[in-house]
Amino acid sequence: MIALVDCNNFYVSCERVFNPSIHNRPIVVLSNNDGCIISRSDEAKALGIKMGSPFFKNRTIIDKNNVYVYSTNFPLYSDMSQRIMSLLIKKYLHVEIYSIDEAFLDYSNIIKPLKDALHIQTQILKWIGIPVSIGIAKNKTLAKIANKIAKNKCRENILQINCQEKLNKYLKETCVSELWGIGKQYAKFLMNSGINNAYELSHCSDSWIKKKLSILGLMTVDELRGKSCFKILMEKQSKKSIRVARTFSKGINDFILLSNRLSTFTNLCSEKLRKENAYARKVTIFISTNPFNRDLNSHYYAKKTIFFESPTNNALKIITHVMRALRLIYKNEFIYKKTGIILSDIIPKSKIQLSFFNNEFENAKENSLMDAIDKINKAYGKMTIFPASNGNRQNYFPKQKYLSPRYTTQINELMKVVA
DNA sequence: TCTGGGGTCCTAGGACCC
DNA sequence: TCTGGGGTCCTAGGACCC
């Protein structure tokens, strides 16, 4: 059994903790630049304010109903999140922090799941002040479904799906668009194909699903059928890319202004990288015109990736590459609305071996790189690697690959870094 | 007039290699 | 005139998540 703990209207709930006077009032929290609505209280939802919709389009409803409006306060939200997560980690052995407001718990050894869930729910509310919903079911996808129903239809905000009868009933009640892993495009496609709810989806053929929705879609469908495909990932996953991007309130078409902004982004980005104790192998910059402009001919999007000679986290080095990329794509006749930089192909310094080799060699990280390579050679005759994305998908993908020349080069580079 | 930011993963197809 | 087979690597583009 897996339980999903999900905070109700998280950002709004955080604001309420520090301002109890707004408890029964409609509240919304806005995104960066106060552009979109990204969190709503139940009262605001009842007014018909949509998630992600632009602030200016809701202006009339907001003014008319005295809706409280907050700009985001991310430091506050992540602090509150940490408090909740550490409470969970203290109490449970296996916890996956899935997002700022969600965590999966391994409930396989919990004897009375409902009672236990009620207890932790009460504790979080009492000690931290945040209301949470808890869904309990056989796997992550079903726990997501249980959570959604718990949040919207159960008085206690807790629901366990523990028999096939209940499961079938809930699957039939769940529209494909509400499923975890089925987004707008897939939902549209499925409904056009006559598949409207989760129950119908679970009866589609494997080959068709895989072809149309990719391997991840098939895993989702397998979970609806009761298999467990997505494991609980306890270890903090090291980042594979880091990005800083902004939409400007006014478009920019001046090269100097753009490069100034990009320098700032580069600093922020490499700061994040150093915080991760990691190095990046490439940088991508992108710039785009206003995507909401009605004139489609004025849409312009450009992206340029530059590889480093060796992995780095040095902002000055990165900036020279960023500027080169900007010069390559800059065209004066456009007014850019959005720019960003992405550092990717990230190598965690503290466990360099791990990023290239099988988990079995985790304990090799204490030793030198050469030792690790020797061990691997002895064990396998030739080196063994796993693609980074293989973690969850061992049932679907063959495990072994031989070490290609590409990786030999990378190892040589890594050894330079280590030295 | 005003429409977020930060991530992950998969797939197809071309380049390239032996 | 015919035009292999098996493999890797990289990228663009498109999907998804909160």
Side-chain angles (χ1 to χ4, degrees):
Chain A
M1 280 288 168
I2 287 181
L4 171 65
V5 178
D6 189 326
C7 302
N8 300 349
N9 316 329
F10 184 54
Y11 298 165
V12 161
S13 299
C14 289
E15 298 292 350
R16 274 182 172 160
V17 171
F18 294 92
N19 187 356
S21 71
I22 52 171
H23 253 275
N24 297 309
R25 302 285 302 273
I27 309 167
V28 296
V29 174
L30 304 179
S31 64
N32 262 37
N33 292 341
D34 292 344
C36 291
I37 288 160
I38 53 169
S39 183
R40 309 155 296 158
S41 68
D42 290 342
E43 298 78 10
K45 288 177 191 172
L47 291 171
I49 298 171
K50 294 266 179 322
M51 178 67 176
S53 61
F55 177 48
F56 73 89
K57 280 193 180 167
N58 294 282
R59 206 57 204 251
T60 330
I61 310 179
I62 286 172
D63 290 345
K64 212 167 127 189
N65 296 281
N66 277 326
V67 178
Y68 261 73
V69 180
Y70 283 90
S71 294
T72 36
N73 184 353
F74 270 106
L76 170 70
Y77 310 147
S78 59
D79 180 72
M80 296 296 280
S81 171
Q82 272 172 34
R83 293 190 209 183
I84 294 169
M85 298 308 170
S86 39
L87 194 63
L88 292 175
I89 288 169
K90 224 183 228 171
K91 182 160 180 207
Y92 298 97
L93 224 51
H94 303 291
V95 179
E96 175 184 340
I97 300 172
Y98 178 66
S99 75
I100 193 164
D101 70 335
E102 281 171 81
F104 288 106
L105 313 175
D106 181 357
Y107 252 40
S108 46
N109 292 320
I110 305 287
I111 299 156
K112 292 181 175 166
L114 283 175
K115 201 178 156 200
D116 193 276
L118 184 62
H119 184 250
I120 191 75
Q121 182 194 48
T122 315
Q123 214 167 41
I124 294 173
L125 185 64
K126 209 164 141 192
W127 292 4
I128 304 164
I130 302 288
V132 302
S133 300
I134 302 178
I136 307 162
K138 225 171 176 177
N139 56 44
K140 283 183 167 179
T141 305
L142 297 177
K144 274 272 186 187
I145 293 178
N147 190 292
K148 193 151 208 167
I149 298 168
K151 189 164 282 176
N152 299 327
K153 295 183 186 160
C154 303
R155 205 158 38 90
E156 306 258 305
N157 285 168
I158 294 176
L159 177 77
Q160 181 183 14
I161 303 178
N162 53 3
C163 66
Q164 193 62 42
E165 232 172 57
K166 262 195 205 174
L167 177 61
N168 286 346
K169 173 174 171 278
Y170 293 133
L171 289 183
K172 284 175 190 166
E173 282 174 15
T174 303
C175 174
V176 285
S177 63
E178 295 174 276
L179 287 171
W180 186 49
I182 306 293
K184 233 179 170 178
Q185 302 303 320
Y186 285 165
K188 200 171 138 194
F189 164 76
L190 287 171
M191 289 193 277
N192 284 339
S193 313
I195 294 144
N196 293 295
N197 61 49
Y199 184 82
E200 289 165 357
L201 182 60
S202 70
H203 284 83
C204 291
S205 90
D206 286 11
S207 55
W208 187 75
I209 293 292
K210 185 170 179 226
K211 195 172 158 208
K212 300 293 185 185
L213 270 60
S214 96
I215 191 74
L216 289 175
L218 180 56
M219 289 165 76
T220 296
V221 172
D222 269 346
E223 291 225 328
L224 294 178
R225 296 164 177 161
K227 270 198 213 170
S228 290
C229 302
F230 303 106
K231 294 201 178 73
I232 292 197
L233 304 168
M234 283 176 28
E235 263 195 50
K236 198 186 159 218
Q237 306 293 301
S238 43
K239 283 200 169 61
K240 300 184 175 67
S241 69
I242 291 175
R243 138 196 332 229
V244 172
R246 290 289 177 277
T247 300
F248 308 134
S249 45
K250 275 185 182 166
I252 298 180
N253 68 347
D254 179 74
F255 183 83
I256 302 289
L257 275 178
L258 269 177
S259 44
N260 284 346
R261 299 308 299 266
L262 277 169
S263 310
T264 314
F265 296 172
T266 308
N267 276 328
L268 288 171
C269 223
S270 32
E271 216 170 89
K272 289 187 190 177
L273 188 63
R274 288 193 294 273
K275 238 180 227 163
E276 291 278 314
N277 193 18
Y279 291 81
R281 301 173 48 82
K282 56 190 186 190
V283 62
T284 302
I285 79 161
F286 66 89
I287 51 182
S288 78
T289 53
N290 185 359
F292 294 99
N293 198 324
R294 277 198 214 106
D295 175 14
L296 293 178
N297 291 325
S298 72
H299 286 195
Y300 181 78
Y301 176 84
K303 203 164 127 178
K304 183 77 199 162
T305 299
I306 294 193
F307 287 79
F308 305 144
E309 315 77 59
S310 58
T312 182
N313 59 11
N314 181 310
L316 284 178
K317 272 190 195 162
I318 299 171
I319 280 176
T320 57
H321 294 294
V322 167
M323 289 307 141
R324 188 150 67 90
L326 179 62
R327 275 194 293 276
L328 287 172
I329 60 177
Y330 177 75
K331 293 206 179 67
N332 214 9
E333 64 264 35
F334 293 105
I335 298 177
Y336 296 108
K337 190 70 180 164
K338 187 170 186 172
T339 76
I341 98 158
I342 306 167
L343 293 174
S344 55
D345 220 344
I346 289 175
I347 304 162
K349 187 191 175 192
S350 58
K351 34 180 186 175
I352 281 171
Q353 292 91 337
L354 267 185
S355 54
F356 293 108
F357 308 125
N358 183 344
N359 303 343
E360 281 175 39
F361 297 96
E362 190 164 358
N363 47 16
K365 70 186 165 194
E366 300 302 328
N367 305 322
S368 77
L369 195 54
M370 278 315 286
D371 284 353
I373 292 172
D374 277 344
K375 272 191 184 177
I376 294 164
N377 276 330
K378 274 185 194 141
Y380 283 86
K382 56 185 176 183
M383 294 181 186
T384 304
I385 58 152
F386 283 74
S389 59
N390 200 19
N392 261 328
R393 281 164 276 281
Q394 286 168 5
N395 300 331
Y396 295 91
F397 286 116
K399 277 187 177 181
Q400 265 179 315
K401 293 196 169 212
Y402 70 83
L403 191 75
S404 72
R406 172 175 174 248
Y407 285 92
T408 318
T409 320
Q410 285 178 332
I411 285 168
N412 285 336
E413 282 176 26
L414 283 172
M415 285 171 69
K416 274 187 227 156
V417 176
V418 174

